[in-house]
Amino acid sequence: MKRIACTLVLALVVCVASAAELKVLTAGAFKPVVTALAPAFEQRTGHKLVIDNDTAGALAKRIAGGEAFDLVILTPAAVEQLVQAGKIVAGSPARLARVAIGVAVKQGAPAPDITSVAAFQQALLAARAVAYIDPAAGGSSGVYLSQLFEKMGIAPQIKAKAVLVPGGLVAQRLVTGEADIALHQISEILAVPGAALVGPIPAEIQNYTVYAGGIGTAARDAEAAKAFLALLGSAEARAVLQGKGMESAP
């Protein structure tokens, strides 16, 4: 009995010793996927995930400034820059998903017509206030939209009514009444109770943000990080992506 007890204790010690705490940095739009898959990964492996999200630009700056991490999910361009800078293990990056920009209103509010570029433009001009990510914060949708408004010739009008969000869930500004239209990645719109997705912006002006994951060169447990990255790219994850308004990256 003593020998069996000792064996069980030793097995427990080995299991605890092999469990890792992984720091996962993720751009905001991909966070719902990470948080949805985290419990199953933790239960299966015994590892614990510490998830932190920010805009893609802010995360890139934090990592460049020396912040440690095990796994990061960013745009492919940002990931490649971090590989070149020696912050991400070369050969580890994997494309995971893409997401479109969508239009949202407060739950119960009339849905504007966005079925054409002209209709979308008119909806923006007719809105009292339009919320989107502040381009200065480095969010990919905010950067793209600011350029789009310039091309459409409506930048001054939008600037006058813009509710610029430094990061986080833009559609929350609908719930608080600060804006009556919100533009953000669809996955982040769906994460806000009280916000209703009208649909994606017209295909002619749509911009998909692609997300890729990479393992940190200073990861505390590279194998555990690799295992979670594999889960994020699995068939199991694809079902989660669809439910969160995303799709597998081509």
Side-chain angles (χ1 to χ4, degrees):
M1 288 296 293
K2 287 183 179 180
R3 181 174 297 176
I4 294 173
C6 288
T7 301
L8 290 174
V9 171
L10 179 59
L12 179 60
V13 170
V14 171
C15 181
V16 172
S18 64
E21 183 175 89
L22 301 180
K23 183 175 182 180
V24 180
L25 301 178
T26 175
F30 200 77
K31 182 185 177 183
V33 179
V34 173
T35 54
L37 290 168
F41 179 78
E42 291 179 334
Q43 183 176 22
R44 294 170 192 170
T45 66
H47 301 313
K48 176 176 173 55
L49 300 180
V50 178
I51 302 165
D52 189 3
N53 74 289
D54 209 330
T55 65
L59 286 178
K61 289 180 181 178
R62 286 165 53 180
I63 293 171
E67 182 168 340
F69 66 95
D70 294 283
L71 178 66
V72 63
I73 296 98
L74 288 171
T75 61
V79 167
E80 181 56 31
Q81 288 176 355
L82 292 172
V83 169
Q84 297 301 319
K87 301 291 186 178
I88 289 178
V89 177
S92 72
R95 291 166 70 93
L96 300 172
R98 72 175 190 172
V99 63
I101 295 174
V103 179
V105 296
K106 187 175 182 179
Q107 194 79 46
D113 180 8
I114 59 169
T115 55
S116 68
V117 175
F120 172 66
Q121 178 172 315
Q122 184 54 42
L124 295 178
L125 293 175
R128 172 184 57 86
V130 179
Y132 57 99
I133 286 286
D134 187 347
S140 54
S141 65
V143 173
Y144 174 75
L145 288 168
S146 66
Q147 296 170 347
L148 176 63
F149 298 150
E150 290 285 352
K151 292 179 181 177
M152 295 174 73
I154 59 173
Q157 297 96 313
I158 300 300
K159 184 177 180 180
K161 63 176 74 180
V163 177
L164 299 178
V165 183
L169 299 172
V170 171
Q172 286 180 336
R173 299 305 197 275
L174 301 171
V175 181
T176 61
E178 297 171 69
D180 46 4
I181 282 185
L183 306 173
H184 207 187
Q185 277 104 345
I186 289 175
S187 60
E188 300 214 68
I189 290 173
L190 296 179
V192 179
L197 174 67
V198 179
I201 65 175
E204 303 94 310
I205 55 172
Q206 182 57 263
N207 182 69
Y208 287 93
T209 300
V210 176
Y211 292 100
I215 298 169
T217 51
R220 287 167 291 186
D221 192 325
E223 286 304 312
K226 183 178 180 181
F228 188 56
L229 180 57
L231 176 61
L232 293 176
S234 68
E236 181 179 351
R238 284 195 285 274
V240 174
L241 289 174
Q242 292 178 354
K244 301 299 181 182
M246 307 183 82
E247 57 189 76
S248 297

